[in-house]
Amino acid sequence: GVAVADENNTAPLPGASVNVTVYDIFGRSVLMSSGVTDLQGRVQFIYKLIFTAKMGTYRVAVSVYLTGYYANNVQTSFFSLG
């Protein structure tokens, strides 16, 4: 899941638009999804690796937009054991 909070006071930010893209080990987009944060500033995305998924590092890119705040982009990764 994604949690969105004000960086100055850590208050959760409900109603933020969140876009998520998951890239496979070859850099190909394998999931594009969007959602809106709930009252706790959270939104959940589910991506299940297929049985034949290749071993390696997958990248996750997240973009967050909310009126009155600067847009923010964050990236992380996870490793698949195949």
Side-chain angles (χ1 to χ4, degrees), residues 24-81:
D24 68 10
I25 64 171
F26 304 108
R28 297 179 298 212
S29 172
V30 293
L31 171 74
M32 293 178 69
S33 191
S34 61
V36 176
T37 56
D38 62 16
L39 292 175
Q40 289 76 39
R42 297 175 183 266
V43 61
Q44 184 171 349
F45 300 94
I46 297 174
Y47 172 66
K48 294 183 180 184
L49 288 172
I50 59 173
F51 181 74
T52 57
K54 300 289 185 191
M55 183 171 62
T57 301
Y58 289 67
R59 187 169 52 95
V60 181
V62 179
S63 300
V64 179
Y65 306 93
L66 182 63
T67 301
Y69 289 87
Y70 291 108
N72 195 7
N73 299 300
V74 178
Q75 292 190 31
T76 190
S77 60
F78 64 91
F79 190 80
S80 168
L81 296 177

